[in-house]
Every structure is written in structure tokens, then in C-alpha cells.
Amino acid sequence: MGKITEKLLLEKCTPKNTKLEQVKTLNLSKLGLKSSDLPVPLLSRLRCLEQLDLSGNRLKEMPSGLFLPSLCSLDLTNNEMEDVTCLDTLTTLEDLRMEDNLYITVSDNYKLMILLPKLRFYNGKDISTTANHMRYVNSENLRKRVLALWETSFSLPDCRTAEKLAIVERDFVNAVHHKVKYGPSSMTDYTKWRVEMIAKEHLRSLTEPNKEYRDTEEPADTKETFRFPFPAKRKRSASAVECDVTLNPQKIAKASVQAEDSPHRSSRLQSIPHKAERPISTTARTHKAAQIPATPTRGKSKLLVTPRNGLREKQHQSKEDMPLAKRTRKSARQQRSTEVKETPGKVICTKSQHSLQEPVSLQPLHVLQCHSKRDSPDDFSTQLWACSFQPPLDYNGDVKGATRIVATCGGESVCLIDCETGLVMKKYKVPGEEFFSLAWSTVLMSRKGNVGMRPCSILAAGGKRGLVKLLHPRANMAYGEFRASRKALSILCFSPRQGNLLFTGSYDKNILMWDIGGVDSYYNFKVTQLLVLETTSTPLHFCLPPATPDTHLIAACEGGLHSYNIQLNKDPKKRSEEMEITFPVYKDKDHDHDYHTIDGLGFLTNDVVASKSHMQGSIYLWSWKDTRAQRPNNNNKKKEVCAVILAELQWSSTDIPYLSLNTCPSKGYVVCGDERGRLWMYHVTDLLKANFRSGKAIPATEILAWPLPVRKGQGPVEGPAINSVAMDPELRYLVALSDKNMAVVWIRTESS
């Protein structure tokens, strides 16, 4: 849509007029308008405007600062509204319509009754009785609870500096969020928003007693703080675990939880050598661990958390909230004559001639326990298997910008976590399921009235039941499922170029390619099976070459690494591998070591691939282009091709399987967790590349030690095996999942 002009406004008004200041009715419906298309200075001249129709557009919010003093009726039907607090300046509204805005929740409806004091009709219904109840009865009940909490637990500091008042406000707001409970669960998010408003109003009344504050004062933007669990659309799930981590540690009682040894990985072990099935052992350590405050979640379970270390100025005076102490200890392990120094919760740099370039600096931010069975804080047995950052999209569906939302799966649930706040924004639970894999994609969704298509981010998850669950998190919808196998699913992967193409791997030793299509406004969709790729063992990881994602698929399996031709314009629809890629470590095979299980795979560049074998003790970097150039011709029955190794990265000598690696191509990083909770990080710089093919094993650039979270009276929780890691594209956050039901969020420090 072009720019809104005075001429257009005069053409769309009824009756016709020559001055904007005299216009009373304006119809701007079905013009494809976005929020940025609405010029505030021009629209603010509509001082006599009483009715405004903006239906059938693409508005996500109303522009800030828009004031229409005479507006009584507003139609925002069939838009993409996400936030209702932007309507707070339209205080004269009496009639508002917002049907067919997918992201407007029940809590948003209640917020409108507070923000718009004259609102009487909403979506064509008279809400006067409900609105008055919310404005007076409900608000007064909440106010009493907020003031009671202040009187019993808080007071103003003696020296009222801006910094100290800010700390008091933060702690008070956090406390009312968690301790003030009122009304049904469907109103939880509204209640948090309302009590925050009341708390801030009360503090201002104490610090600025000569000023008066209206009950409908503009609230803080808490859109990212509120959680809307799914699959039940717009309904609060009682099982959702919220992981708030900003509570005042002086006000919270710590839980006593004893971490138990990790169980064997029976849910995934099918054909791995027997040594992998023994329980994970822990090494005795002597150190003084930092106390880490536990955080309650809706009164059900208390989560392990790790405070930031030196990221921001100190905000608490208590010892419990001090950053982790700087303590160093030498590892008893020495691998290939490389000594590694460890500090709990800090980045440990390995002194190496290969890692002279300054690496990023990461510190632990949160340790979350959000996949517990029955939300139990004592669950340290649920194994977490996969995590992936949500791809950020611009309006055209292009991946753009940064993201801080990560999806995690394990046990019977899928969680969406805000890495900055540590909040579980949404949680999807299927009793009896065990999720092994998930993947993000973008598909097209038709708009009501056939007025075009819009991209939407979806999440697919699968596990032991063989079903692929399709979720639209932004709309709080689990909109469909389909059976991909009669056995458990081991891996899911979407094509980065065609978001409707999904690859599934399963324990029936098949790889299937599906077209899941798009969805209409009623979430109808159609799934079509396109290809069957045969393999002789269970697939564990998929990679589509970044330069040619439409032509080849690389599958890491329990029996080796295989490449497939996936071009749809070729027959047959059931295909065997194009070639098997072998590695030098295969030559060391013996009775106890097979090395053919490839349990880590990822592209670092368009050509360089990182992969590792179970029990290999290192990670290979190899060239996809050069390896594929060696493939045999069609007449040669032998399909084996030896990978063209560029470098070998030192890693942990462990017999624990399925400790997968991940890559961050934009920053040149390879990361892999180990059996002790550590993260081995490799910064593949130009200097490293100069040593490719040198024959020397390259040590890790740095190692992130397990942050050693502590429960009161129980000591530190020893490092568990890290099953999966994920990094956002800019490496602002790193997430590691363990087999003891703990997810660790690391953050890059400002100095990086």
C-alpha cells in the first residue's frame, strides 16, 4: 500500500468533505495497510472523527502516539493485531471490533476493559456489566492484595536514589507477579499485567505523593513476559511450567533436591555397543560452589537457575544474588598433551597456537527444569533430546534479524523458552509421548476472505509414537498431526528453501520426504508423501547442503553416513543411497569399537562439514565438494567414498552415544557437549583453516564448564551428559540440553 495522503483520506470519508478536521466517518478497510503505513501527524488532524474502519488490513498494532479525541467506534476485524496496549490513547472508544485477529487472547480482552474506560460494546456484544466488574470489583481485589504484600514484605529505602528505587520496583513487581493469585487460570496473564500496573502506581504514589495517577495509566509493555500455553487455543494450560528467574532471592525458600545418576539411554538405544548403556558416572571434585537461588514456578516445581556473571551492574546486595565466584581448578584429564583449565560457570580458554583470534565470551544465564514429569522438581531422569531456535521472519517470510526463542523437546513435552528472561513462553504436552526431535519451518497461510497469503512459523515435533505434531506457536495452536511411521521417529528436518518439504527419519530404517503444504485460515492442511529413501540403519541426523538443498540429503545413521539424491524430477520414488561416506577412524574398528554410528553432523560453510562418530573422541572437518567429486560412476557397484578430511578437532573420549554437535556458520563455530556437562567450542578461523590437512589434531578454542547449580543442603549438581546444543545465528545465546532434565542457557557478554 502506498503512503496515506490527505487526498486519500478525503476520498474515503463519508460524507465527502474538504477538511480533515471536519471528517466524522472514515473507511480504510481492505487496503493492505501495515502499522508503518499509518502517519500519526496526518491522522491526528481528524479531531472530529467518530467512526474508523480499518478491517481487512495487515495491522499488527496501532501506531504510537495516535490521539483521536472524538473517536467512538473502531473496526479492526481481520488484521494481525498482537498487542492491545497500543490502543490506550483512544480513551473515548465505546464500540470496538477485533474479530479474526489470531493473536488476541482472553487476557487481551480484559486488558481492553481497563485501557478503554468508556468501552461498552466489544465485537458486537454489550460488555458493560463485565467491564464494570473488571474496572472496579476485580481491580479493587487485586489492589488490596498488592498493598498487603507491600506492607508485609517491602519498604522504601532510607536513601531514595534512582538506582535503589529501581531495584525496589523491580523486586516488588516480580513479587506481585508470583504471589498475587486471583481468578481462573484463563485470566493469569491479565492478572500479572494488572497487578504490575497497580504496583507501579502504588510506588509512584509513595515517591511522588503530590501527583495523582489514573487507574488506566499506560502499563509497561509486558508482551514478552506473558505465556499462552497450547494446544488449547487461548486457554491457560494447568500443566504449563513457567520459569521466571528474576525473583528477589531474599524472598524465596530454596528447595532441596538430590540429583540422581542419569539412567541409561534405553529410549534411544537400539543397536549401540553395550558399553554405552552404563550409567553416567561423576568424577569427585573438590571446590567451593556458588549458591544459586531456586525459583518457584506457579507453586509447583522449583527450577535450578544460574545468575548472570558480570553482565550488568549489581542489582542485589545479598550473597545469594552475587555473581558466581571466580574459581579455577585443573582438570585431571589431559587429552593429547593439551591441558584444559576449568572455572565453573566461566569460559575456559585452551592455550593453543591455533586459537589466537579472540573468541566470543559466554556466561551461564539460566538453568531450567521445564520438562518434568507431573511438573515435579525431583525429576532428574527425563532426557532432553533436541533444541532449535525459532527463525525470525520479516513480513515477506525471509529469515532476518535476531531471535531469542528456542524450542526444546524431551519426555512428553515441547517447550518454547525466552532465552533472555528464562521464561517458558509456551508448553505443549502429550501424555505418554516421548519427543526425540523437532524442527522449525515457514509455510504460507491463507487469510480470511481470500485476500492473500501470509507466512507463518510452524514447529514440527515427533517421537516414539511415530506421529508428527504440527504446531503454530504464535497462535497457540496444535493444528494437526500425521503418522510418519509405525515406529518411533528419530529425526525431523525441513528444507530451508522450500518450507513445506519435511524429511522424517524413523526406527524402521526409512527416510521419508513429505509435502505438508500450507494451511488455510481454518488450519486445514494436506500431507503428501513424495520420496522413500532406503537405509540399513536408524537415521540420527539430516543435513541439506546449503548451496544445493534441493538436490541432496546427507543422513547420519547408526550404520554410517549416506548421501541421497532427492531431486523430485527424477524417478523412482523409492531410492537407495547415492554413496556412503567413510572415515579414517573406521580402520580402528575392533570388538568394542565400531565407529560407524555417526551421531553428530552439521555444515560449517557451504562446503565444510563437521561430523563425529560414537566413541571416536574427536570431530572431523571435511569437504563435501571434494568428497562428492570422488563418487563412483553409475556403473560401479561400490558406493563407498572416503571423506576428504580437512582437520580433526580434539574432543572428549567418552562411550556415551548421541551427544550431537551444532554449528554457527556466521561466526565460524562448532560446539559439542560431553558426558560431564561441558561444551567444547571450536572457532574455525582463517588461522585454523591454514592448518587444515596439516595432520595435527586441533584442540578446543575454549570449553564452557558445567555451571554447577546448587540446591540448598544438597551441594552442587554434577555435570550430566549434554545431548544437544543450539546457537542462534548471531551466537548471542547458546542452549544446551542434558539427560538429567536440565536446559542451560548461555549468553554472550557485552565485551564480545
Side-chain angles (χ1 to χ4, degrees), residues 642-659:
C642 187
V644 178
I645 305 298
L646 303 176
E648 186 173 4
L649 309 178
Q650 293 180 7
W651 185 63
S652 174
S653 295
T654 177
D655 58 5
I656 304 299
Y658 308 126
L659 307 184

Side-chain angles (χ1 to χ4, degrees), residues 90-360:
L90 305 179
T91 55
T92 58
L93 271 182
E94 298 178 10
D95 187 356
L96 175 64
R97 302 192 73 101
M98 295 191 70
E99 297 107 327
D100 298 328
N101 282 271
L102 283 177
Y103 313 124
I104 298 302
T105 66
V106 171
S107 288
D108 290 325
N109 297 338
Y110 291 127
K111 291 179 187 179
L112 288 169
M113 298 175 191
I114 301 298
L115 294 171
L116 306 176
K118 295 185 178 181
L119 188 65
R120 295 188 299 116
F121 294 94
Y122 183 59
N123 292 339
K125 297 180 180 180
D126 188 342
I127 61 166
S128 299
T129 301
T130 303
N132 287 333
H133 177 84
M134 300 304 296
R135 293 166 188 156
Y136 303 109
V137 179
N138 177 273
S139 293
E140 185 59 27
N141 283 327
L142 293 177
R143 184 176 288 104
K144 289 179 180 179
R145 286 165 168 78
V146 170
L147 297 185
L149 182 60
W150 172 266
E151 295 296 333
T152 58
S153 306
F154 292 89
S155 63
L156 291 176
D158 295 333
C159 181
R160 299 183 185 181
T161 64
E163 181 180 3
K164 289 185 177 180
L165 289 175
I167 293 174
V168 171
E169 180 180 286
R170 183 203 61 204
D171 293 343
F172 185 36
V173 168
N174 286 333
V176 298
H177 277 170
H178 291 83
K179 296 185 178 181
V180 176
K181 309 293 182 183
Y182 186 71
S185 60
S186 61
M187 293 178 58
T188 299
D189 298 310
Y190 160 79
T191 300
K192 288 179 181 289
W193 172 84
R194 188 70 178 107
V195 296
E196 177 175 338
M197 183 189 300
I198 294 171
K200 291 182 176 179
E201 176 189 336
H202 178 63
L203 281 177
R204 286 191 290 269
S205 71
L206 296 177
T207 57
E208 303 175 33
N210 293 328
K211 294 186 179 181
E212 294 183 0
Y213 298 94
R214 293 190 303 109
D215 207 5
T216 56
E217 185 174 5
E218 179 179 357
D221 182 5
T222 56
K223 178 173 61 176
E224 292 182 346
T225 302
F226 296 140
R227 282 79 66 193
F228 307 108
F230 54 93
K233 186 176 181 181
R234 301 185 178 89
K235 290 185 179 180
R236 187 77 176 173
S237 170
S239 64
V241 179
E242 301 162 6
C243 310
D244 300 351
V245 295
T246 54
L247 291 179
N248 185 343
Q250 293 176 329
K251 306 295 182 182
I252 302 171
K254 293 186 178 182
S256 297
V257 173
Q258 177 67 48
E260 52 190 58
D261 284 341
S262 172
H264 64 78
R265 306 157 76 80
S266 59
S267 57
R268 294 293 298 268
L269 289 170
Q270 298 282 327
S271 57
I272 298 299
H274 68 279
K275 291 178 67 176
E277 297 188 13
R278 67 187 184 192
I280 300 172
S281 62
T282 55
T283 305
R285 306 175 185 180
T286 57
H287 57 270
K288 184 178 180 180
Q291 289 288 327
I292 301 178
T295 304
T297 59
R298 301 183 65 203
K300 292 185 178 180
S301 62
K302 300 187 177 183
L303 306 186
L304 301 166
V305 299
T306 302
R308 297 189 186 193
N309 190 358
L311 297 183
R312 298 177 182 170
E313 61 183 0
K314 297 178 183 178
Q315 296 179 331
H316 292 274
Q317 301 300 321
S318 66
K319 292 182 180 179
E320 291 178 333
D321 199 50
M322 294 292 288
L324 291 171
K326 296 182 178 180
R327 297 174 298 276
T328 60
R329 57 185 174 86
K330 279 190 177 182
S331 170
R333 302 171 62 104
Q334 283 192 344
Q335 183 158 344
R336 301 184 187 180
S337 72
T338 302
E339 185 179 81
V340 178
K341 292 184 178 181
E342 296 186 5
T343 304
K346 294 291 290 181
V347 174
I348 299 88
C349 292
T350 302
K351 295 181 180 179
S352 166
Q353 60 177 339
H354 301 291
S355 55
L356 299 179
Q357 182 171 329
E358 186 69 22
V360 299

Side-chain angles (χ1 to χ4, degrees), residues 467-508:
L467 297 173
V468 175
K469 304 286 186 176
L470 299 175
L471 318 174
H472 185 196
R474 189 175 174 188
N476 308 325
M477 288 288 291
Y479 69 88
E481 66 179 38
F482 67 93
R483 177 165 295 282
S485 172
R486 294 197 174 276
K487 292 192 175 182
L489 297 177
S490 55
I491 182 66
L492 306 179
C493 176
F494 279 102
S495 167
R497 186 169 293 176
Q498 299 183 65
N500 57 305
L501 299 183
L502 172 67
F503 295 89
T504 63
S506 56
Y507 281 88
D508 59 5

Side-chain angles (χ1 to χ4, degrees), residues 2 44 91 121 203 307 325 346 355 540 542 609 623 724:
S44 295
T91 55
F121 294 94
L203 281 177
K346 294 291 290 181
S355 55
L540 302 176
F542 294 151
V609 185
S623 169
S724 179

